Structure formats: C-alpha cells, structure tokens
C-alpha cells in the first residue's frame, strides 16, 4: 500500500485545514486508517483513527477540533482540522493497517508527511 498525504500549509491560529491521504496499490476499505504527527524535536504521536466500520477515536489534545473521515470509493482518508493552535504545528503522517493502536510502533504502512504550520 502506498499512501500520499496532502493539504498541509501555513495557517493562522484559529484557522482550518483539511488533510487528505490517498491510498494506492490496493483498496484500504477494510484497513484501519490513522493520522499521526511529529513536531520538531518530539516523538511521533497519535492524532486520530478510523476503522472500517467508521468508528473513530481521537487524542485528547485534538478531540472536538479535528474530524477524521474516509471515502472508501476514493480510497482516501481525511483529517479536518479546525480551531488550529500553534501547538498543532507538526508534520502529519497518514497510516494504514489491518490493526492499529495509538503507538506508531505497530503501524504497517506509512505515508510521507505533510507539514502543517500554525502561526500565532
């Protein structure tokens, strides 16, 4: 599976961005999809996940502000980010796998990241 993330950029605090992650190679409709992020000098951390059933789970730091969704017909997962804060600045990575936890250690497939910068 190849994952291509896009949609990052520079936004002011309080603004919004929508990230996309397009999968290729095979359908990921049965996979668990997730977003992780890595800020400068910090370890990669879990952001959100969505199962094939469309059940979602969020990190506490983004719950209520971010929404993960998927379009199986397009083999794509999205991350709508609202009310962005400077501390959301990071490289955002999409991930896929048959199973998924909040730890990046067990991720089967990673996409290349997309940079999100939130200015104060």
């Amino acid at each position: 599976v190849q994952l291509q993330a896009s949609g990052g950029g520079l936004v002011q605090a309080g603004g919004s961005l929508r990230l996309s992650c397009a999968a290729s190679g095979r359908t990921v409709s049965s996979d668990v999809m997730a977003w992780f992020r890595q800020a400068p000098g910090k370890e990669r951390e879990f952001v959100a996940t969505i199962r094939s059933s469309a059940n979602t789970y969020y990190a506490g730091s983004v719950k209520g502000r971010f929404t993960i969704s998927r379009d199986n017909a397009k083999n794509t997962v999205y991350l709508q980010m609202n009310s962005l804060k400077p501390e959301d600045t990071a490289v955002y990575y999409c991930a896929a796998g048959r199973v998924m936890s909040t730890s990046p250690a067990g991720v089967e497939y990673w996409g290349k990241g997309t940079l999100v910068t939130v200015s104060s």
Side-chain angles (χ1 to χ4, degrees):
V1 174
Q2 292 79 46
L3 304 173
Q4 181 65 54
S6 61
L10 174 64
V11 63
Q12 289 188 334
S16 298
L17 279 176
R18 187 194 195 202
L19 305 184
S20 299
C21 175
S24 61
R26 65 166 174 79
T27 180
V28 292
S29 60
S30 297
D31 287 51
V32 183
M33 305 295 293
W35 289 94
F36 289 77
R37 67 186 181 186
Q38 188 165 16
K42 294 187 177 181
E43 294 185 350
R44 194 169 297 188
E45 65 175 7
F46 169 79
V47 175
T49 189
I50 184 167
R51 300 187 178 280
S52 58
S53 62
N55 286 344
T56 59
Y57 180 73
Y58 298 91
S61 58
V62 307
K63 193 172 184 180
R65 299 188 297 122
F66 291 10
T67 301
I68 188 171
S69 61
R70 64 193 301 163
D71 185 336
N72 290 332
K74 295 183 178 180
N75 226 24
T76 299
V77 64
Y78 304 97
L79 186 68
Q80 178 67 43
M81 305 185 294
N82 299 329
S83 302
L84 282 161
K85 304 175 181 180
E87 51 263 44
D88 294 318
T89 294
V91 177
Y92 283 71
Y93 298 89
C94 62
R98 302 296 180 178
V99 294
M100 189 76 68
S101 72
T102 58
S103 169
V107 171
E108 292 184 70
Y109 304 102
W110 287 107
K112 292 184 179 179
T114 185
L115 177 62
V116 172
T117 303
V118 184
S119 63
S120 58

